[in-house]
Every structure is written in C-alpha cells, then in structure tokens.
Amino acid sequence: METLHLHTADTTPFEIHPMSWVDEQRHEHTLTPHRHDYYVIIGVTSGRGNHNVDFQHYDVQPGSWWFLSPGQVHHMQMDGPHEGWVLSFEPDFFCISEANRELLINTGLFQNVLDFKPYFIPPEQLDLLEPYLQTLQGEYQQKRALREDMIRAWLQLFLIQASRTFADQLVTVSETSKSVCIARQFQDLVDRDFTRKTRVSEYADQLNITPSHLNDTVKKVTGQPASEHIKQRVVLEAKRRAFYGTTSAKEIAYELGFEDEAHFSKYFKANTGQTFTDYRKAIRHKYVEK
C-alpha cells in the first residue's frame, strides 16, 4: 500500500484543487487503497460513488464531506462525472502554534478515527463553505506577499465555519464543552501515543484528571470508555499494517508495543474474531489480488 506525501508545485505544504484536477494529475496514485501523511478534506458537490475508509464502506452523494487524518487508509471510486473540492495540508503547516493545534482538535472534524463518518450538507447550502474555498484557491494560485500566512488564516476560518456547519453531526449527545474538549484531547493523545501508552492512567496524568473521571467523561461523549478507545486504536493500526505485504506479524507486534507475536496474535483475535494471518489474507484478497 502506498503512502502519499504532499508534493506541491512550490514549497507551500498546502494544496486546494477541484476534484477533476486530482483525477487527471494524481489518477495513478488513487486507483488502489492508500494513505496520506497529511490531512485531506474532500467535498463532493455533484456525482455519486463509494468510499472505503479504513476498510469500511460508505456511499458518496452530492454534499458528502470527508475529513481524513494522516494515516487513514482510503479509496474513493466515483460513478461517472463528478465535481468537488480537495484540500490537503501538512500537520506542521497548520499547527504552527499550540493555539492552532488546539483549534484543529476542538473543531472535532478530524477527531473521529475510530468512529469515522462523512458529514453532509445539502448542495443548495454549499454557499456556507464556498466563499472560503474560493478565497483559499485564489490565495493558493496567486503568489503574493505573506501567502502562507494568508492561507493559514483562511484555513482557520474555513475549519471554524465547517465545524459550525456540521455542528449537529459532530456531537450526538448533550455534553458540556469541557467534557467534549477532554474527550477530543484524549483521542488526540491516543492517536499520537498508542504504541507507547496503553493504560488509561497514563493519559489521565497528561490531562491532569483521575482515570475514573477520564473513563466516565469519554464514555458519556463517545459511548465507549477510554480503555476501549485505546484498544481499538491498536487494532485499527494492526489492520492498516496488515495491508503491507512485506511486514511480518512479528515485526508488527514489536512496532505496536507487544512483547511477542503470541501476545499480539491473542490480542488481535480477541478483538476481531479472526487471527491476524486470516485477516491479512482476506483484506489483501479483497483489495489487491482481485
């Protein structure tokens, strides 16, 4: 499986293009499931198809928006003519300050790796987002003074507006903003440290709260306790790495922090119902060998 890097026409680690441009210029890279080491936002304004994200199938329809985090495995196939937007940016480009990093977390748009879903806006309401996209495209194409600063500023505004636009789809329970913030910070920490930290207490210490409070808060916001999020994040990464044909189960076990392959295999089967070997064969047959 290919990991795509952001190669722009200049040194700015940001891109915005119509979907048609991506189809023409990046077609060979998107024929099979792949992952990016940067953030990708895809907005479909017309056309239909299907989108597999981390081996889950979703229908694509006009008004579908996808906020993909670095590392997510995906493959989109459109049926016939289609239009839309694709924005890409590297983490370090946007998270130039701690405030920007917190903004990326607090919008909630990307903090759903374990419970991924697309967002939807009726095409007739696209004007809620379109002005920001057009301005970003203009700044990207015109190399004027302080270009990166302007792009970053408009990207901030776009993410805030998108968070407002999809607000009713981001949080499905009535929770205080403090609880939601704790849950999102926890998810961000897990995504960053899950191979090194597997206990709830380790994340609670980082957030300066008790393990029981963290478990309860995360469960109220997401429906699952903190411990389950850690477990499922490890399993998700194992599934992603199963796609690599040259990495052995023993190597993957070591990379994910397990003492030995036997412990890893038992853990994987307990959480998926399949052995790692059987899962790898099935997923590669589905996406590669056909």
Side-chain angles (χ1 to χ4, degrees):
M1 178 174 55
E2 186 176 11
T3 297
L4 302 184
H5 309 289
L6 189 56
H7 296 298
T8 60
D10 53 35
T11 58
T12 303
F14 170 90
E15 280 189 335
I16 179 169
H17 296 291
M19 288 185 72
S20 57
W21 184 94
V22 177
D23 292 339
E24 294 172 3
Q25 301 296 321
R26 306 278 170 80
H27 180 66
E28 69 278 9
H29 297 297
T30 58
L31 292 173
T32 58
H34 57 278
R35 65 164 112 198
H36 308 264
D37 61 2
Y38 49 90
Y39 290 99
V40 178
I41 302 170
I42 303 172
V44 179
T45 57
S46 68
R48 296 180 181 275
N50 62 80
H51 196 186
N52 284 288
V53 182
D54 282 327
F55 314 111
Q56 296 295 317
H57 175 85
Y58 304 91
D59 292 328
V60 177
Q61 58 181 313
S64 300
W65 284 80
W66 314 79
F67 291 77
L68 301 167
S69 297
Q72 286 191 275
V73 177
H74 80 116
H75 181 213
M76 180 177 281
Q77 294 177 299
M78 299 300 292
D79 302 326
H82 56 278
E83 296 179 353
W85 295 89
V86 180
L87 290 79
S88 306
F89 60 95
E90 292 183 357
D92 289 345
F93 170 73
F94 186 76
C95 300
I96 194 171
S97 67
E98 183 64 19
N100 275 22
R101 191 188 73 82
E102 290 182 1
L103 174 65
L104 201 62
I105 295 172
N106 292 335
T107 61
L109 295 166
F110 296 98
Q111 303 304 310
N112 55 359
V113 173
L114 297 181
D115 186 27
F116 184 83
K117 63 180 180 181
Y119 305 114
F120 179 78
I121 179 174
E124 62 270 18
Q125 295 182 20
L126 182 61
D127 58 355
L128 293 172
L129 300 176
E130 189 87 16
Y132 301 90
L133 297 166
Q134 291 175 346
T135 301
L136 276 166
Q137 186 179 45
E139 289 294 337
Y140 176 69
Q141 293 175 340
Q142 299 178 37
K143 300 179 181 180
R144 296 182 288 188
L146 301 175
R147 175 171 174 256
E148 288 195 9
D149 297 282
M150 186 65 83
I151 289 174
R152 195 178 293 111
W154 275 99
L155 182 55
Q156 286 180 340
L157 293 173
F158 170 76
L159 292 174
I160 292 171
Q161 181 59 40
S163 181
R164 291 177 174 179
T165 301
F166 302 122
D168 61 335
Q169 301 170 57
L170 288 170
V171 181
T172 57
V173 296
S174 177
E175 281 298 314
T176 65
S177 59
K178 184 176 180 181
S179 295
V180 173
C181 184
I182 289 174
R184 288 174 178 167
Q185 287 178 321
F186 165 72
Q187 289 175 321
D188 184 56
L189 290 172
V190 170
D191 201 46
R192 189 176 65 194
D193 297 332
F194 69 93
T195 61
R196 299 184 298 108
K197 299 176 180 178
T198 58
R199 296 193 298 272
V200 174
S201 59
E202 294 177 288
Y203 295 99
D205 288 343
Q206 287 182 272
L207 295 170
N208 296 314
I209 58 178
T210 65
S212 60
H213 180 45
L214 178 57
N215 250 329
D216 291 344
T217 300
V218 172
K219 186 173 183 178
K220 287 178 182 178
V221 175
T222 69
Q224 294 181 321
S227 55
E228 186 65 19
H229 280 267
I230 299 169
K231 182 189 303 179
Q232 291 304 317
R233 184 61 184 87
V234 173
V235 171
L236 173 59
E237 190 62 24
K239 288 181 176 180
R240 288 175 175 175
R241 299 191 187 201
F243 216 81
Y244 289 96
T246 59
T247 307
S248 68
K250 182 177 180 180
E251 290 174 307
I252 292 173
Y254 176 77
E255 291 169 356
L256 295 182
F258 290 88
E259 294 180 359
D260 52 52
E261 183 181 348
H263 183 202
F264 166 67
S265 298
K266 183 178 179 180
Y267 187 94
F268 188 88
K269 186 173 183 179
N271 288 284
T272 66
Q274 289 180 284
T275 66
F276 180 78
T277 300
D278 288 344
Y279 178 83
R280 166 172 267 176
K281 288 179 180 178
I283 203 68
R284 289 191 62 79
H285 175 71
K286 181 176 181 179
Y287 289 107
V288 178
E289 297 171 5
K290 282 189 174 182

